[in-house]
Amino acid sequence: MSASEAMPVPASRPVPSRGPGAGPWVTLGLLLALMVLASLAVGSMTVPPSAILGSLWEALGLGEASHKLDAMQRAVLLTLRLPRMLMAVMVGGVLATTGAALQALFRNPLVEPGLLGTSSGAALGAVLAIVLDVTLAAHVGPFRMLVVPGAAFLGALAATVLALRLGTGGGRTDTPRVLLAGVAVSAGAFAGMGLLTHAASDAQLRTITFWSLGSLGGASWETVGAAAIPLVVTLGLLLSEARALNLMLLGEREAWHLGVDVERLKRKLILAAALGVGAAVSFCGMIGFVGLLVPALLRIALGPDHRRLLAASALSGASLLLAADLLARTLSSPSELPVGALTSVLGVPAFIGLLARKGAA
């Protein structure tokens, strides 16, 4: 096997050999717990945090709660907010962790899953299913509700595999070529979306617009169960390669000499990204900047050690998406803002500030 030439590595601190202290994990864990509680308690109907914690205390058999949920609060919590919270935690965690892994794999802090064509492929699949809804409904019957997520998931996988194939030559995956292929695939997917949008009805256009801006409003126990398998599998695959990603920071040739199967790692992480991001986009629409901004900021705060960076990205991405969804539900209540648009509004100035900081360094 021949290793590829190493690309220039961005200046960074040496990868530490010691494990992370407890401080960052306590902070990130408390932040996530706070956001989980807030997402369950705040909304058009306020559910007292004391009643939520009391019910949990009682459910764990630790004693009788002094504050309990009434029937309406319990229905809102169990039917609407709990599955929505779980979806936000999984999707936010996977998007951020995928971004951190791809930034290390491509050795570029500006890489995010959308550059591989994954998100645009999912969008093309979903738009195609929406436009052909009447035709498809006659053939799928009771499975109609799964048509759009299923088409988006298949579109994400197809686009990513195409970019991977276009970027592979002579048995070697050339990461710059994969990125260029991903940009080309994304352009083609957006062109296809434009043509399909032109043929869509007014009702279909509203659905396409709402879906393309991202939302957690469709979360239910059924969608959480369907999304959990690919999202959890993706998270496990990414976390298992923390050591290999640390070695990849030295360069592909050096990582290969230190025992990393570079080609296998590339394919594994790119396909894992397609699996996780495809599942996220298929159920929640397009949610931007989580996979780019979270790992970029954490890399500054915690350093480049992926043993801590990947796990911290999962916790922080979950917290960020919970916060964005909470704002989306409450800023214009009783209507709801698209969470993907909100993450972009929050992410653009933060990312500009990050670029300005690097430019001044």
Side-chain angles (χ1 to χ4, degrees):
M1 169 184 175
S2 61
S4 62
E5 293 295 327
M7 296 168 55
V9 183
S12 60
R13 291 177 288 176
V15 176
S17 59
R18 295 183 294 110
W25 306 119
V26 172
T27 302
L28 293 176
L30 288 176
L31 177 62
L32 179 57
L34 178 63
M35 292 312 307
V36 166
L37 187 60
S39 69
L40 294 177
V42 179
S44 56
M45 171 185 287
T46 301
V47 181
S50 58
I52 297 174
L53 295 175
S55 297
L56 177 62
W57 184 267
E58 190 173 278
L60 295 175
L62 300 176
E64 187 168 347
S66 56
H67 298 84
K68 295 185 179 181
L69 300 170
D70 61 34
M72 183 63 72
Q73 291 173 339
R74 184 180 296 276
V76 169
L77 190 67
L78 296 180
T79 306
L80 301 176
R81 294 188 187 168
L82 191 55
R84 186 167 181 149
M85 179 273 293
L86 292 174
M87 184 69 83
V89 167
M90 292 190 297
V91 169
V94 165
L95 289 177
T97 308
T98 301
L102 292 179
Q103 288 171 11
L105 182 67
F106 289 92
R107 303 173 67 208
N108 187 331
L110 300 182
V111 170
E112 59 100 20
L115 290 180
L116 298 178
T118 308
S119 299
S120 56
L124 177 60
V127 171
L128 180 63
I130 292 170
V131 172
L132 298 179
D133 176 64
V134 176
T135 302
L136 291 173
H139 296 85
V140 299
F143 299 101
R144 183 178 180 180
M145 63 176 295
L146 298 177
V147 168
V148 173
F153 185 69
L154 293 177
L157 289 178
T160 308
V161 169
L162 178 59
L164 182 60
R165 290 294 299 272
L166 291 174
T168 302
R172 184 175 65 86
T173 303
D174 186 347
T175 48
R177 283 182 60 187
V178 172
L179 283 180
L180 290 175
V183 172
V185 169
S186 293
F190 282 119
M193 288 171 58
L195 293 175
L196 289 170
T197 300
H198 181 71
S201 65
D202 289 342
Q204 290 170 343
L205 282 175
R206 286 193 293 271
T207 303
I208 291 170
T209 301
F210 185 76
W211 185 92
S212 63
L213 293 176
S215 174
L216 293 164
S220 64
W221 287 114
E222 290 78 13
T223 58
V224 167
I229 296 176
L231 292 175
V232 172
V233 168
T234 298
L235 197 57
L237 291 173
L238 297 176
L239 293 175
S240 68
E241 297 294 349
R243 176 184 174 276
L245 288 172
N246 281 347
L247 296 177
M248 285 291 289
L249 295 178
L250 303 173
E252 292 184 11
R253 183 182 296 275
E254 289 78 4
W256 180 63
H257 284 297
L258 290 171
V260 177
D261 188 339
V262 175
E263 290 303 311
R264 173 187 167 276
L265 179 67
K266 289 177 182 179
R267 293 188 178 95
K268 177 181 178 180
L269 293 184
I270 290 174
L271 292 176
L275 178 67
V277 175
V281 175
S282 65
F283 286 102
C284 302
M286 300 179 70
I287 299 176
F289 274 94
V290 176
L292 175 63
L293 193 61
V294 170
L297 293 176
L298 287 175
R299 203 177 297 274
I300 295 173
L302 300 178
D305 186 358
H306 290 86
R307 292 173 298 177
R308 69 173 74 183
L309 183 61
L310 293 179
S313 294
L315 294 174
S316 301
S319 298
L320 175 61
L321 193 53
L322 281 172
D325 184 53
L326 182 61
L327 290 175
R329 290 191 288 115
T330 56
L331 284 179
S332 61
S333 181
S335 62
E336 182 176 315
L337 296 174
V339 69
L342 193 58
T343 57
S344 297
V345 168
L346 298 175
V348 167
F351 188 63
I352 291 175
L354 179 64
L355 290 178
R357 177 185 183 276
K358 286 185 173 293

